[in-house]
Amino acid sequence: MRIGMGYDVHRLTEGRDLILGGVSVPFEKGLLGHSDADVVVHAIMDALLGAAALGDIGQHFPDTDPQYKGISSILLLKHVGMLLQEHGFTIGNIDATIIAQRPKLAPYRPAMVKNVADALGISEDQVCIKATTEEGLGFTGRQEGIAAQAITLLV
Ligand code: MG
């Protein structure tokens, strides 16, 4: 068994869609990034790559590469799933937390879990995506950005 962790932050900005776990969440701002800036999927990919000692998403999907501009991070996650398969790993479970002051994310969590599970070909009970605020403190509290953490177990 191997464990991996991932962490990511993206800045909130006007004029972008807010994509979290492959779900377009209605909000007045979105996350800035080269891809769709899906911060929780990025954290999950880094956890998976980390557990497999396969580097990080910056290495696999450089943000200088035009082919990844605006790309759905769920597609990148599928690619990471295939890489894990090629290296003989199966996923035990994934646990992730989104850290955002707003919007309320609870209604979207089941759809996020389904998107992640489907992309990786695993069951929904192997994926947990939670959400928390930081009580108005720090950059997430000031709604300057959204952070995400993920941990995973590979078998
Ligand atoms: Mg990122």
Side-chain angles (χ1 to χ4, degrees), residues 122-140:
I122 59 177
S123 130
E124 288 173 41
D125 67 7
Q126 290 171 281
V127 181
C128 183
I129 297 179
K130 310 179 299 302
T132 187
T133 73
E134 288 183 311
E135 302 283 338
L137 297 169
F139 70 84
T140 69

Side-chain angles (χ1 to χ4, degrees), residues 8-10 39 42 57:
D8 196 24
V9 171
H10 282 265
V39 66
H42 291 188
I57 55 171

Side-chain angles (χ1 to χ4, degrees), residues 4-8 39-40 42-51 95-97 148-152:
M5 64 85 70
Y7 175 72
D8 196 24
V39 66
V40 66
H42 291 188
I44 288 169
M45 287 193 283
D46 262 351
L48 293 167
L49 291 169
D95 185 21
T97 301
Q149 300 183 357
I151 190 162
T152 188

